[in-house]
Amino acid sequence: DGGITQSPKYLFRKEGQNVTLSCEQNLNHDAMYWYRQDPGQGLRLIYYSQIVNDFQKGDIAEGYSVSREKKESFPLTVTSAQKNPTAFYLCASKTNEKLFFGSGTQLSVL
Amino acid sequence: GESVGLHLPTLSVQEGDNSIINCAYSNSASDYFIWYKQESGKGPQFIIDIRSNMDKRQGQRVTVLLNKTVKHLSLQIAATQPGDSAVYFCAENIMDTGRRALTFGSGTRLQVQP
C-alpha cells in the first residue's frame, strides 16, 4: 500500500524525556511536514523539509527537532524543552500543492 | 496577520439534507484553496481543491465555491450522510512562490442527525 505511516499511534512522555515520532512515506514525495493539532483547533506547522538533508522551522518549532537523512523518513523529536507537548501530531507529504496526511500520533505527558 | 478562518464552529444537519460549510480568508494573494475532512483520531483527508482562476468546482457529492470579491470559500455537500460527520478544514496557499505550506483554518464540525 502506498501512503504515509506514522508510529506509534499513542505515545506517553515522562517529564524531562525526549521522545521521537516516526513518519515514513513511500509516495516518493520530496516535501514532508509536521503539524501539531490541539483539541478543537486547526493545524500548526512545526517543521518542514522540501528535500533530503534540508529542513526549515515552521511557526512553532521551539522544543522540537527533526532530521531528513532519507527521502522516505522525517522523524520528529519532542524534546524536554517543549513544556506543553500533549497534542495530536500529524505528518504529511506533498505533491502538486496537496498534502497527504498520516493517521497521526497522540502524545500525552505522564 | 493574514489568516484563514471559518464562520461556524459546529453545523448540525439532518441526514439527506444539503450541508454548506463556509470559510473566510484574508490573504488576497492566495490562489489555491483546499478542503480536508478529518474524522476523530485520524489524519485529514483531501476532499476537493480549487484554484483562483475558477469560481466553482464539483466532485462526487461535493462542490466548492470561491468568491474572490469577498474572499469567501464554501463547501457544499449534497444529500449529507452519517459518514460525512467530521471536522472540515479549509486551507490556502500561494502557488509558485515557494511558500512553504498550506495555512489551515480552525475547522467546522459537521454533525449529521439520523
Side-chain angles (χ1 to χ4, degrees):
Chain A
D1 290 337
I4 300 174
T5 302
Q6 289 187 242
S7 62
K9 180 70 173 175
Y10 300 96
L11 186 58
F12 297 91
R13 194 192 87 166
K14 297 179 181 179
E15 292 287 341
Q17 184 183 40
N18 293 351
V19 292
T20 298
L21 284 60
S22 171
C23 179
E24 302 281 330
Q25 55 105 354
N26 59 7
L27 300 169
N28 201 34
H29 293 167
D30 286 317
M32 297 186 74
Y33 301 80
W34 275 105
Y35 285 88
R36 170 180 170 140
Q37 186 176 31
D38 293 281
Q41 298 188 29
L43 282 65
R44 292 185 290 168
L45 182 65
I46 305 173
Y47 266 99
Y48 65 105
S49 168
Q50 294 183 310
I51 199 167
V52 175
N53 293 322
D54 185 57
F55 51 83
Q56 286 81 39
K57 293 181 179 180
D59 300 316
I60 56 166
E62 185 175 352
Y64 300 97
S65 66
V66 294
S67 63
R68 187 83 186 278
E69 297 176 2
K70 298 186 300 181
K71 188 175 187 177
E72 299 80 15
S73 180
F74 191 40
L76 173 73
T77 297
V78 184
T79 74
S80 58
Q82 173 49 247
K83 298 306 180 185
N84 184 24
T86 297
F88 191 52
Y89 290 86
L90 287 160
C91 178
S93 66
K94 187 173 80 168
T95 185
N96 297 327
E97 304 300 320
K98 296 184 186 67
L99 288 178
F100 294 86
F101 287 89
S103 56
T105 293
Q106 175 64 50
L107 175 62
S108 302
V109 177
L110 291 176
Chain B
E2 301 191 321
S3 64
V4 174
L6 295 175
H7 295 302
L8 299 173
T10 302
L11 177 64
S12 184
V13 300
Q14 293 292 319
E15 181 178 357
D17 287 350
N18 296 334
S19 303
I20 300 175
I21 301 171
N22 297 302
C23 176
Y25 64 96
S26 57
N27 188 348
S28 58
S30 294
D31 56 9
Y32 177 74
F33 305 88
I34 191 167
W35 281 99
Y36 283 93
K37 171 187 179 183
Q38 186 179 27
E39 297 176 74
S40 181
K42 297 183 180 180
Q45 296 174 284
F46 168 82
I47 300 174
I48 193 167
D49 59 355
I50 189 168
R51 302 187 192 281
S52 60
N53 61 352
M54 301 174 68
D55 297 322
K56 178 180 180 179
R57 191 168 187 214
Q58 290 184 294
Q60 187 177 15
R61 279 202 308 120
V62 295
T63 302
V64 56
L65 298 177
L66 176 62
N67 185 332
K68 295 181 287 293
T69 302
V70 295
K71 299 198 217 45
H72 185 267
L73 191 69
S74 68
L75 176 70
Q76 300 180 358
I77 304 174
T80 311
Q81 303 169 359
D84 294 326
S85 293
V87 176
Y88 290 80
F89 294 95
C90 65
E92 53 94 13
N93 204 356
I94 304 171
M95 296 177 63
D96 300 326
T97 61
R99 183 173 167 178
R100 54 191 187 179
L102 294 169
T103 300
F104 285 82
S106 56
T108 292
R109 181 174 301 280
L110 177 64
Q111 296 178 333
V112 182
Q113 307 297 328

